[in-house]
Amino acid sequence: SRPARKMDAARLRRRGAGSEPHRQDEGGIGEIVRKVKALDVYPKTLSEFNEKTETGGLISLLAIALIGLLLCTQLSAYCTVRTRDHLSVDVERERLIRINLNITFPAIPCAGIGLVTMDVAGEQQIDVVQNLGKTRLFLNGSRLDDSADGEEGSGGAHTARALGKLDGDCGRCYEDEETQRLFLSTIEEQSRQAREQGRSLPPGFASRCCNSCDDVRATYARVQLAVEGQPAVVAEWQSHPLCAHDRQLIDPGALGLIHEGCNVVGFLHVNKVAGNIHVAPGRAFSSPQGHLVHEFKPFAMATYNTSHIIHTLSFGPHYPSQLNPLDGVEKINLDGSALYQYYIKVVPTSYAPIRGDPLVTCQYSVTESQVPISNDGGMNRQFVLPGVFFIYDISPIKVTYMEETTSFWTFITSLCAIIGGVYVVAGMVDSALYSVSVSKRGALAM
């Protein structure tokens, strides 16, 4: 009927009116999709239009192998820590430099080795024993036991009696009971004052034990004993029983009669200025004029065998890849004595690891000279002081080493460059070979 047809027409008009916005939305999205597709720089072809060749497969295998090799190389470079260095003027104001040494004198007894330091600032350290250890050796280099003292006639009985006075493992530093008590009370008092004032004592200052002559000499040098209202107590280390061996050998003329060697190992601190450390015969002391004097018998200087083996000599803490030019140097005298001089140029160095604080240290270069002293009975002999001298100077230039690695984003960029570059180059090679192949087939077909 007519009313029914009017209702159907109204529903169709309403339905058409509702779908019109939907068609408009679909048209807007489709337009955006078409614009995005227009930006595609990687057009695709249908698979039925692709042609696979043996040459293309071989080039693909080679490209994959090359990409794998380059990726492994890049990964290795990413995991490797590199060191970069640069030079600058040294502006650090630290006062002291630590010198580490390990030197063997195959033919000089330990009592005949007195380490002396002096510098251009006028500071002298005579007969240094603090932070140094000496080991007596046989001529073949093996360690000499204390039992050999009696065989050498060097005071073994006195040493044995001194060792018998040890309280457990702690030896007495003074034979006199009253002086020993004064020594212990002085250590206690100075330690208490240091704690109250919040200052630190020098390393080893609070040590109360003397188990070797070096301990005795170090104690007598660092501790001054005095009672209020009375003069200071002066003790000579030569009078201590533990120093019987050293006391008998303190005369350089007696050194040639003792067939022993000595190994010196430890460290010492010196000012950061030019100076030298040396081992020379005789007793060293400072004159009233401030000059360093070695007291010895000149006619016996040729018997002072200065043969030596430098196991280690370094300045400052060790750092990775450090090279010390004097490590492993051997100088052996077969006839007479000699003066050995090592001229060292110390270069301040800073090493900054990836993790941790920078390490302040030094490296050095060295040149050397040797003056032989022959035993010719005093004829035609100019005066030369035998010994081993390390003469050092401080460079004003500082070397800074910094560890660094490749950043993660640089690593990712390199990977993308490798993969994309190999892919493009392989495609160019394949296209060129394919074009040549097609040209040849066309020529043969004609």
Side-chain angles (χ1 to χ4, degrees):
S1 66
R2 183 176 295 179
R5 288 197 295 270
K6 289 183 178 180
M7 291 178 61
D8 292 340
R11 282 198 296 269
L12 290 175
R13 284 196 297 270
R14 287 196 298 269
R15 186 181 303 171
S19 61
E20 185 66 24
H22 180 68
R23 286 197 296 270
Q24 291 179 354
D25 292 343
E26 287 184 350
I29 295 175
E31 184 66 23
I32 294 175
V33 171
R34 284 194 297 273
K35 290 182 178 180
V36 171
K37 289 174 63 176
L39 298 176
D40 186 8
V41 296
Y42 305 103
K44 283 76 178 176
T45 58
L46 297 177
S47 58
E48 53 265 24
F49 295 106
N50 292 330
E51 181 181 359
K52 298 183 180 295
T53 63
E54 294 82 358
T55 305
L58 180 60
I59 292 177
S60 298
L61 290 177
L62 293 177
I64 293 173
L66 182 59
I67 289 175
L69 176 62
L70 294 179
L71 290 182
C72 292
T73 304
Q74 195 65 28
L75 180 61
S76 175
Y78 173 70
C79 298
T80 301
V81 177
R82 298 182 303 279
T83 303
R84 181 168 58 89
D85 61 86
H86 74 272
L87 303 179
S88 61
V89 176
D90 183 21
V91 296
E92 300 293 336
R93 295 191 296 271
E94 67 269 9
R95 289 188 60 252
L96 300 177
I97 293 179
R98 170 169 168 158
I99 302 179
N100 311 292
L101 54 88
N102 184 357
I103 306 175
T104 295
F105 297 89
I108 305 178
C110 288
I113 296 178
L115 196 64
V116 178
T117 73
M118 57 186 301
D119 56 43
V120 296
E123 181 171 331
Q124 299 177 356
Q125 301 180 53
I126 298 176
D127 200 11
V128 181
V129 294
Q130 192 72 27
N131 302 320
L132 290 177
K134 298 178 183 178
T135 303
R136 297 169 60 192
L137 305 174
F138 285 112
L139 293 181
N140 61 6
S142 59
R143 184 168 180 170
L144 179 65
D145 295 327
D146 289 335
S147 59
D149 291 346
E151 299 176 4
E152 297 290 348
S154 55
H158 293 286
T159 303
R161 286 196 297 272
L163 293 176
K165 293 184 178 182
L166 293 178
D167 299 328
D169 293 330
C170 185
R172 297 165 58 92
C173 293
Y174 296 89
E175 284 194 288
D176 182 68
E177 290 287 348
E178 184 176 350
T179 307
Q180 177 71 10
R181 286 196 296 270
L182 177 60
F183 163 69
L184 296 177
S185 63
T186 300
I187 293 293
E188 291 289 347
E189 178 64 20
Q190 295 190 8
S191 299
R192 183 186 62 79
Q193 294 179 0
R195 288 194 299 269
E196 292 177 352
Q197 298 173 5
R199 56 183 176 86
S200 59
L201 291 171
F205 182 86
S207 175
R208 299 169 173 79
C209 303
C210 294
N211 296 330
S212 67
C213 185
D214 286 342
D215 294 341
V216 174
R217 294 163 71 176
T219 299
Y220 288 10
R222 75 174 184 267
V223 180
Q224 300 296 325
L225 302 181
V227 180
E228 186 176 356
Q230 298 182 10
V233 177
V234 179
E236 296 290 339
W237 64 266
Q238 294 91 339
S239 62
H240 197 285
L242 282 173
C243 296
H245 173 79
D246 295 48
R247 182 173 65 249
Q248 292 189 10
L249 296 183
I250 198 64
D251 179 11
L255 296 178
L257 304 177
I258 306 299
H259 304 294
E260 293 180 9
C262 186
N263 173 252
V264 181
V265 60
F267 66 91
L268 61 153
H269 291 95
V270 297
N271 291 325
K272 193 180 175 181
V273 295
N276 75 78
I277 59 176
H278 64 267
V279 174
R283 184 174 64 91
F285 62 92
S286 182
S287 68
Q289 294 77 23
H291 300 295
L292 184 65
V293 179
H294 284 269
E295 182 182 12
F296 69 103
K297 300 176 182 179
F299 60 83
M301 63 183 181
T303 63
Y304 191 79
N305 192 332
T306 53
S307 299
H308 58 279
I309 303 171
I310 304 175
H311 305 289
T312 299
L313 182 70
S314 62
F315 292 77
H318 178 79
Y319 64 90
S321 69
Q322 183 178 13
L323 177 63
N324 300 315
L326 286 178
D327 287 2
V329 170
E330 295 187 17
K331 300 293 182 180
I332 305 299
N333 298 327
L334 300 179
D335 182 26
S337 184
L339 166 64
Y340 294 97
Q341 294 176 307
Y342 298 96
Y343 298 94
I344 299 173
K345 179 65 72 173
V346 180
V347 182
T349 302
S350 175
Y351 192 92
I354 295 178
R355 299 176 181 84
D357 298 328
L359 184 65
V360 179
T361 180
C362 295
Q363 55 185 317
Y364 66 91
S365 62
V366 63
T367 57
E368 62 181 79
S369 69
Q370 176 181 350
V371 180
I373 304 174
S374 60
N375 191 4
D376 55 6
M379 302 297 295
N380 301 323
R381 182 192 304 163
Q382 69 180 54
F383 179 78
V384 178
L385 178 66
V388 181
F389 288 72
F390 300 94
I391 305 166
Y392 58 89
D393 193 9
I394 310 298
S395 171
I397 302 300
K398 179 179 181 179
V399 180
T400 301
Y401 295 104
M402 293 179 291
E403 291 183 351
E404 59 183 18
T405 58
T406 304
S407 68
F408 177 75
W409 295 114
T410 302
F411 173 65
I412 294 298
T413 302
S414 300
L415 295 187
C416 295
I418 289 172
I419 296 174
V422 173
Y423 179 80
V424 170
V425 172
M428 294 171 61
V429 173
D430 179 59
S431 297
L433 295 178
Y434 181 74
S435 298
V436 172
S437 175
V438 170
S439 300
K440 288 184 176 180
R441 287 202 303 265
L444 292 176
M446 294 176 63

